[in-house]
């Protein structure tokens, strides 16, 4: 057969010359390509990090067929859209100008619907072509090959623009198919390894949360730990813990972890208008490919860029206290069923640990209250009775002495005992009151402590009577305002070195504040004093100031507990 007629041999070259010169080159080329393919297979199988494996596969495919551009598109769980797109040959600046990766339409969508090799000499000529977005590099030649992991189509390799401008041939397609087969094994190994690592992180995170709670860490710190570990388990950009306030029907975002969540902490969202509300009520997790488009909740998308999201209930089926959400920025990978399987049990365990910690704190609180009640009874039944008996004996002794100096000393001792009895009674009331940061006693102590930081010394405080049970809210707010105003005046104007604050509650609330400062100057401003007097008058009470012996001021603010 004529060599020229078959087209197998070079023009003017005999068959012997062809076998002697050309075939060895073809053999070497095939050998080199086979060697390159083996190297690529070894390279993609030498790492277990999925992101690294995907990038190596893309770069290896591009090199093997001399393509200018290459990409690997990962298909989502719905089997219809791309959830990840790894590129080769396209710069970060070009990617930024394009704006986003393909969603899986056009030729890419065809490969998703019909997962088999596809070679095209002209992309634009194919009926399924939908063109390219603005700033996309021009592409004409195309080779697409599916990547299978077991029976599942994991994604597709896309290669365009062969070096020299030629078309991709059958040999190129065979090489990429062989690489895709090896890639499927490497991807499966990487996914199994990643899932095992996530499971280990989940176990460690659950242990950390339980340990933190059992060691007495504050609940807010533990919830921050929950958010941090949830973000790590799912490799998420952002995580939030939202607790339901049943009184108002709102979610309160208690904790935010990650970047892009500024301004979310403390945000309140209507329960009935959020996707988290559905998770809270049903106890079922929710996967969102684009939370921003779905409307996770009014207010969140205005404050943070949110793309894919996963929301799971924080608690068990019949005891859900809120939701735990992990989110990625737009363009980042979607969460999958593996993330659901890991985050759901972690959230349930974390909620259970929080519940157990609360029960333990309740038990400790009950033990503390019982102990305080016992101490209060001992003080009342033993100490006060003995002091009272001693005072009565001293009063009898006053009548027996005919020396005035001795009588005065005894009377002074009796007065000191009476004052001690009043202080012990005040302590008993404090012990019997339920500890509460919002109690009147606590709030008065907070105001005095704040003033101490400015005064340079701690004022003495005596609180006597049923402050936390007998004093209503209306009087409470006025009383706190007067204490604040009075201490503020002392700080600014008196130069005092000693301040005594006393509140007595019987049939009236009597506030007495005494200082050893310069006193109230004649002709000075009276706006603060008028304000305190107005508050007393509004409650049917009285307000007065007087000079103190030795210098200083005595302020007395008195209002009845119940107005007639």
């Amino acid at each position: 057969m004529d060599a020229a007629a078959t087209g197998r041999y070079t023009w003017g070259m005999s068959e012997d010359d062809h076998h002697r010169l050309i075939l060895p080159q073809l053999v070497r080329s095939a050998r080199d390509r086979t060697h390159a393919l083996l190297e690529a297979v070894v390279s993609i199988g030498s790492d277990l990090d999925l992101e690294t494996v995907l990038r190596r596969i893309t770069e290896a495919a591009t090199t093997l067929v001399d393509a200018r551009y290459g990409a690997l598109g990962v298909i989502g769980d719905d089997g219809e859209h791309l959830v990840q797109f790894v590129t080769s040959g396209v710069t970060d600046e070009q990617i930024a100008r394009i704006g986003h990766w393909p969603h899986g339409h056009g030729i890419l969508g065809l490969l998703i619907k019909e997962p088999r090799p596809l070679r095209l000499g002209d992309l634009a000529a194919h009926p399924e072509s939908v063109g390219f977005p603005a700033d996309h590099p021009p592409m004409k030649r195309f080779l697409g090959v599916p990547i299978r992991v077991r029976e599942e189509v994991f994604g597709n390799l896309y290669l365009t623009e062969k070096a020299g401008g030629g078309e991709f041939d059958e040999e190129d397609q065979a090489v990429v198919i062989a690489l895709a087969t090896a890639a499927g094994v490497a991807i499966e190994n990487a996914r199994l390894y990643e899932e095992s690592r996530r499971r280990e992180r989940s176990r460690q995170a659950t242990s950390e949360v339980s340990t933190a709670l059992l060691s007495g860490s504050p609940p807010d710190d533990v919830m921050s730990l929950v958010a941090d570990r949830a973000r790590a388990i799912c490799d998420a950009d952002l995580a939030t813990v939202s607790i339901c306030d049943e009184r108002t029907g709102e979610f309160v975002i208690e904790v935010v972890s990650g970047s892009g969540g500024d301004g979310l902490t403390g945000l309140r969202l209507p329960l009935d208008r959020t996707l988290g509300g559905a998770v809270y009520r049903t106890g079922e997790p929710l996967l969102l490919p684009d939370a921003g488009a779905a409307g996770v909740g009014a207010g969140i998308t205005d404050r943070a860029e949110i793309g894919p999201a996963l929301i799971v209930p924080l608690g068990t089926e019949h005891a859900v206290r809120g939701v735990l959400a992990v989110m990625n920025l737009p363009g980042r990978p979607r969460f999958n069923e593996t993330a659901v399987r890991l985050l759901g049990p972690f959230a349930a365990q974390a909620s259970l640990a929080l519940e157990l910690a609360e029960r333990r704190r309740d038990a400790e609180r009950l033990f503390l209250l019982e102990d305080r009640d016992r101490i209060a009874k001992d003080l009342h039944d033993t100490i006060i009775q003995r002091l009272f008996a001693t005072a009565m004996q001293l009063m009898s002794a006053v009548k027996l002495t005919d020396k005035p100096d001795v009588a005065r000393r005894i009377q002074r001792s009796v007065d000191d005992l009476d004052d001690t009895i009043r202080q012990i009674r005040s302590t008993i009331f404090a012990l019997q009151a339920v500890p509460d940061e919002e109690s009147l006693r606590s709030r008065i102590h907070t105001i005095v402590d704040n003033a101490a930081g400015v005064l340079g010394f701690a004022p003495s405080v005596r609180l006597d009577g049923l402050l936390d049970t007998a004093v209503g809210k209306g009087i409470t707010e006025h009383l706190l305002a007067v204490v604040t105003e009075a201490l503020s005046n002392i700080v600014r104007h008196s130069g005092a070195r000693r301040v005594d604050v006393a509140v007595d509650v019987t049939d009236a609330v009597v506030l007495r504040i005494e200082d050893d400062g310069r006193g109230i100057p004649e002709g000075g401003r009276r706006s603060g004093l008028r304000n305190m007097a107005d508050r007393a008058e509004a409650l049917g009470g009285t307000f007065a100031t007087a000079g103190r012996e030795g210098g200083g001021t005595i302020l007395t603010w008195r209002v009845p507990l119940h107005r007639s």
Side-chain angles (χ1 to χ4, degrees):
M1 181 180 294
D2 181 28
T6 64
R8 290 183 300 156
Y9 309 131
T10 303
W11 180 262
M13 181 181 293
S14 67
E15 184 174 352
D16 291 338
D17 290 338
H18 181 274
H19 285 293
R20 181 170 54 84
L21 298 175
I22 302 301
L23 288 181
Q25 294 179 13
L26 296 175
V27 170
R28 283 195 297 271
S29 176
R31 182 191 62 196
D32 292 344
R33 201 161 198 182
T34 302
H35 182 68
L37 176 61
L38 291 174
E39 283 187 340
V41 170
V42 172
S43 173
I44 64 176
S46 64
D47 202 297
L48 290 174
D49 178 72
L50 185 58
E51 290 282 345
T52 303
V53 169
L54 297 181
R55 187 159 300 282
R56 287 184 177 178
I57 292 170
T58 308
E59 292 172 351
T62 305
T63 302
L64 283 172
V65 296
D66 292 328
R68 184 176 179 184
Y69 304 111
L72 194 159
V74 180
I75 302 173
D77 293 331
D78 60 4
E80 297 179 0
H81 299 90
L82 297 176
V83 296
Q84 194 172 354
F85 204 70
V86 181
T87 62
S88 174
V90 184
T91 65
D92 293 337
E93 291 77 10
Q94 288 175 309
I95 295 173
R97 287 198 299 269
I98 294 170
H100 59 81
W101 67 49
H103 297 296
H105 305 300
I107 299 298
L108 305 191
L110 176 63
L111 273 169
I112 294 173
K113 291 182 290 185
E114 302 176 8
R116 56 176 179 264
L118 176 66
R119 277 187 295 132
L120 300 174
D122 187 355
L123 268 171
H126 195 280
E128 293 283 343
S129 177
V130 294
F132 298 107
D135 297 313
H136 195 286
M139 295 179 182
K140 184 176 181 181
R141 314 301 188 188
F142 178 84
L143 170 61
V145 173
I147 298 175
R148 298 181 184 275
V149 177
R150 297 185 181 177
E151 300 303 317
E152 168 197 0
V153 178
F154 175 82
N156 292 294
L157 273 170
Y158 311 110
L159 303 158
T160 61
E161 301 309 285
K162 189 174 177 65
E167 296 186 19
F168 296 103
D169 55 25
E170 291 185 4
E171 188 175 341
D172 294 325
Q173 180 175 313
V175 169
V176 176
I177 290 173
L179 178 68
T181 302
V185 176
I187 290 170
E188 175 71 0
N189 291 337
R191 289 170 72 180
L192 291 173
Y193 176 68
E194 182 175 316
E195 184 169 345
S196 69
R197 283 199 308 169
R198 285 188 173 183
R199 289 188 183 280
E200 181 60 28
R201 285 200 297 265
S202 178
R203 285 193 292 268
Q204 290 178 352
T206 302
S207 176
E208 285 183 58
V209 170
S210 300
T211 301
L213 285 166
L214 293 175
S215 64
S217 297
D220 288 347
D221 292 349
V222 176
M223 281 199 288
S224 295
L225 181 63
V226 169
D228 291 340
R229 296 301 176 264
R231 192 162 59 88
I233 290 170
C234 297
D235 190 26
D237 296 320
L238 187 67
T240 62
V241 176
S242 302
I243 304 299
C244 180
D245 185 347
E246 291 284 3
R247 297 172 301 174
T248 62
E250 293 176 314
F251 270 137
V252 183
I253 300 181
E254 299 284 355
V255 174
V256 177
S257 172
S259 59
D262 298 337
L264 293 181
T265 305
L267 184 66
R268 287 181 169 267
L269 304 172
L271 187 64
D272 58 351
R273 294 205 303 271
T274 63
L275 294 171
V279 174
Y280 173 76
R281 289 193 177 93
T282 64
E284 296 294 328
L286 182 63
L287 266 174
L288 300 168
D290 188 351
V296 165
I300 288 187
T301 51
D302 296 337
R303 292 169 171 81
E305 292 187 1
I306 299 173
L310 167 60
I311 308 173
V312 299
L314 190 62
T316 55
E317 182 179 357
H318 302 293
V320 179
R321 62 174 58 210
V323 297
L324 173 61
V326 290
M327 292 159 273
N328 277 339
L329 296 172
R332 286 265 287 135
R334 299 180 185 182
F335 301 101
N336 54 26
E337 291 298 331
T338 299
V340 176
R341 290 195 298 270
L342 294 176
L343 192 62
F346 168 71
Q349 290 293 328
S351 178
L352 180 61
L354 285 167
E355 187 75 20
L356 291 174
E358 286 181 2
R359 295 293 175 265
R360 189 192 66 178
R361 283 193 295 273
D362 289 343
E364 292 174 350
R365 187 186 182 93
L366 179 60
F367 176 78
L368 175 63
L369 291 175
E370 290 175 345
D371 199 40
R372 290 172 62 166
D373 190 53
R374 178 185 59 78
I375 295 172
K377 288 181 179 178
D378 289 344
L379 287 173
H380 181 272
D381 297 342
T382 305
I383 305 300
I384 285 184
Q385 297 303 323
R386 289 183 180 179
L387 289 175
F388 185 74
T390 302
M392 293 296 294
Q393 291 175 0
L394 289 174
M395 288 296 295
S396 299
V398 170
K399 299 177 182 178
L400 299 176
T401 182
D402 54 359
K403 295 182 179 180
D405 184 57
V406 173
R408 283 194 300 271
R409 291 186 179 184
I410 294 175
Q411 186 60 50
R412 193 178 303 121
S413 296
V414 172
D415 293 341
D416 288 343
L417 285 172
D418 286 341
D419 187 60
T420 301
I421 289 172
R422 282 197 300 272
Q423 292 186 31
I424 292 175
R425 280 177 175 162
S426 179
T427 301
I428 291 172
F429 289 135
L431 287 170
Q432 291 176 331
V434 177
D436 186 355
E437 293 181 358
E438 296 301 317
S439 70
L440 179 54
R441 289 177 184 274
S442 297
R443 295 170 73 180
I444 291 175
H445 277 293
T446 298
I447 293 171
V448 175
D449 290 343
N450 291 338
V454 184
L455 286 167
F457 60 88
S460 70
V461 182
R462 180 175 62 79
L463 307 177
D464 194 7
L466 301 173
L467 275 79
D468 296 321
T469 55
V471 181
K473 184 177 180 180
I475 296 177
T476 293
E477 299 305 321
H478 286 289
L479 174 62
L480 294 173
V482 171
V483 173
T484 303
E485 179 72 28
L487 291 177
S488 176
N489 288 340
I490 292 171
V491 168
R492 289 180 293 172
H493 306 301
S494 74
R497 291 177 295 177
R498 174 173 177 171
V499 178
D500 300 321
V501 178
V503 180
D504 293 294
V505 178
T506 51
D507 59 340
V509 178
V510 181
L511 167 67
R512 178 186 170 94
I513 299 180
E514 182 176 340
D515 71 80
D516 64 353
R518 289 186 289 268
I520 301 174
E522 292 293 335
R525 295 181 61 187
R526 296 291 191 272
S527 59
L529 297 177
R530 281 198 304 271
N531 185 37
M532 288 185 269
D534 290 343
R535 289 180 181 277
E537 185 179 349
L539 296 171
T542 59
F543 172 73
T545 59
R548 176 180 174 274
E549 184 179 351
T553 304
I554 299 174
L555 177 153
T556 306
W557 188 83
R558 185 183 190 281
V559 297
L561 274 181
H562 305 287
R563 299 180 64 177
S564 57

